[in-house]
Amino acid sequence: MSKLLLKNGIVVDPAQGLESRLDVLVENEKISALQAGLRAEDAEVWDLQGKYVTPGLIDMHVHLREPGQEEKETIKTGSKAAAAGGFTSIACMANTDPVADDVSIIKHIKEVAARNGLVHVLPIGACTLGLQGEHLTQIGEMQRFGAVAFSDDGQTIGNALVLRRVLEYAGMFGATVIAHCEDRTLVNGGSMNEGLLSTRLGLPGIPRAAETAMVARDIEMARNFGRIHLAHISARESLELIRQAKQQKAPVTCETAPHYLLLTEEAVGEYNTNAKMNPPLRTEADRQALLAALQDGTIDIIATDHAPHTLDNKRVEFNLAAFGIVGLETALPLLYTHLVKTRKIPLTRLIELMSVNPAKIFALDKGTLRPGSCADITVIDPELTKPVDKTKFYSKGRNTPFDGWPLCGWPDMTIVGGQVRYTQKAGVLVKKP
Ligand SMILES: [Zn+2]
Ligand SMILES: [Zn+2]
């Protein structure tokens, strides 16, 4: 079994309240020691002077497209993108084809992921059959075979009675339900944020109430019937409701995505389809409200909503283009450069948002470097500065609005279960056959 000794890095482990220069010893897939001046005769030694060593990043909102749309992404290419982006665990949404709405698909995803062995792939099961919002899936069975959460993401469960049953049923198994909050009747074919800009561009708008009205309903559902995690929050009114609900101890948590923190609807500019996502990019006031909500704890998690598409899905009229962008390979440096380096939040808070809290909310045995825990580790190089180059992505998706952005804080090394899966120098290291 291989032994790794990570020397001289600055360990940032919010779960232990740690931010100090320590060595990390990895043995038998686990962290075996964490202290200064460690020695180990037979270990492979990495000098991480000037770098941060953090618990492995966890992305709870990823679309891997397999099975069914392998031209957009596969479990393998998505896992490579994750490793290259500093993620050691990714949870994949159920809106594949066929939908991950029964045990056979959950098993299939686990098997393909295990064969690739790059990062931990955690399947999310559908709440309703075929994401149709009518008949409940076998939540308990899917959980037994490895589903870590349940969601109809891409769709909102419109029928509140069905959602009630989902919450009650998932609650019996202690499973978390992730809600995609969107009132379809209000979306009404819209393709960007509704406002002056959409009018000027002549594009049909999506009103902010399409999100906020559903957030309000889901908070009431959570209060009465069981815990909900709200996906990709984008509007300031939604944050107000969530803040208030949390003060009243409603069992609600939420996430936002890097693009809502860094871009506004202005990015749509001259009909840039790589700025088309769902929910849509909002205004500067929303962006500021999201930053404040990161600081005050209203937002629990940052997830990418990694949504790869083919060029053909995006090289069309704005109205016809697919929603969504890729995120796995840009999230960490984007957030490091624009949140940590600019002192909007400290690195410890970013690690809470990207590792500690996902582990806590979804009951994963991860999110810390405490001795005895699984050796999932992300090493960050705060000094390395280079532009985003979408032609170098491991993901099949090239749909990013961040191409060419100069960023720092790139992942230097990704270690998954004690195995080095990515280094800045060598790239992604595929499992030996
Ligand atoms: Zn969604
Ligand atoms: Zn999604």
Side-chain angles (χ1 to χ4, degrees), residues 278-400:
N278 190 14
L281 296 169
R282 306 281 182 190
T283 66
E284 181 59 18
D286 294 289
R287 197 178 77 87
Q288 292 300 333
L290 285 162
L291 290 171
L294 281 187
Q295 290 159 346
D296 75 8
T298 302
I299 293 173
D300 301 278
I301 288 179
I302 301 177
T304 65
D305 201 359
H306 179 81
H309 289 294
T310 63
L311 272 178
D312 291 346
N313 299 138
K314 285 290 195 181
R315 260 194 205 152
V316 290
E317 254 178 71
F318 196 88
N319 256 336
L320 303 175
F323 287 99
I325 61 170
V326 289
L328 286 170
E329 287 167 88
T330 51
L332 175 62
L334 279 171
L335 297 168
Y336 188 87
T337 306
H338 291 278
L339 299 185
V340 177
K341 205 159 180 234
T342 56
R343 296 177 184 274
K344 291 189 176 68
I345 56 170
L347 181 60
T348 48
R349 177 67 182 143
L350 185 64
I351 301 306
E352 267 174 25
L353 291 157
M354 298 180 80
S355 181
V356 180
N357 291 349
K360 209 186 287 173
I361 291 167
F362 293 93
L364 310 172
D365 191 14
K366 299 183 182 303
T368 178
L369 299 175
R370 202 172 273 123
S373 48
C374 175
D376 289 347
I377 303 170
T378 302
V379 179
I380 303 169
D381 185 346
E383 298 302 325
L384 178 67
T385 303
K386 60 173 186 175
V388 174
D389 181 353
K390 66 179 178 184
T391 66
K392 301 240 164 71
F393 282 172
Y394 286 92
S395 169
K396 287 190 182 184
R398 298 286 182 268
N399 46 314
T400 176

Side-chain angles (χ1 to χ4, degrees), residues 399-420:
N399 46 314
T400 176
F402 300 112
D403 193 39
W405 282 38
L407 301 175
C408 61
W410 291 86
D412 180 67
M413 209 176 166
T414 308
I415 299 170
V416 184
Q419 304 292 318
V420 179

Side-chain angles (χ1 to χ4, degrees), residues 61 63 93 152-155 179-182 231-232 278-279 305:
H61 195 143
H63 296 274
M93 284 297 176
D152 276 7
D153 184 55
Q155 305 290 333
H180 166 115
C181 297
E182 173 188 45
H232 46 54
N278 190 14
D305 201 359

Side-chain angles (χ1 to χ4, degrees), residues 20-144:
S20 50
R21 199 161 139 161
L22 293 170
D23 298 341
V24 185
L25 183 65
V26 173
E27 258 176 304
N28 302 324
E29 302 171 19
K30 290 196 180 328
I31 292 170
S32 61
L34 186 65
Q35 65 183 77
L38 276 177
R39 282 166 179 283
E41 292 302 315
D42 46 346
E44 184 183 321
V45 179
W46 294 79
D47 182 12
L48 302 178
Q49 177 85 35
K51 288 162 189 165
Y52 293 110
V53 180
T54 77
L57 304 183
I58 302 169
D59 188 349
M60 289 308 298
H61 195 143
V62 171
H63 296 274
L64 287 180
R65 310 302 190 198
E66 182 180 356
Q69 290 188 300
E70 287 83 354
E71 72 282 7
K72 294 187 176 188
E73 193 81 289
T74 63
I75 293 167
K76 188 171 186 175
T77 58
S79 301
K80 283 183 174 178
F87 291 97
T88 55
S89 300
I90 52 175
C92 51
M93 284 297 176
N95 66 340
T96 46
D97 182 15
V99 169
D101 61 3
D102 77 28
V103 168
S104 65
I105 310 289
I106 299 294
K107 274 179 162 167
H108 173 75
I109 293 168
K110 295 283 286 186
E111 279 164 18
V112 176
R115 236 179 290 140
N116 299 320
L118 279 162
V119 298
H120 302 293
V121 175
L122 316 171
I124 293 172
C127 296
T128 68
L129 290 176
L131 308 179
Q132 295 293 307
E134 290 164 14
H135 305 289
L136 265 56
T137 55
Q138 302 254 340
I139 286 175
E141 275 298 281
M142 284 194 284
Q143 187 191 49
R144 206 154 68 80

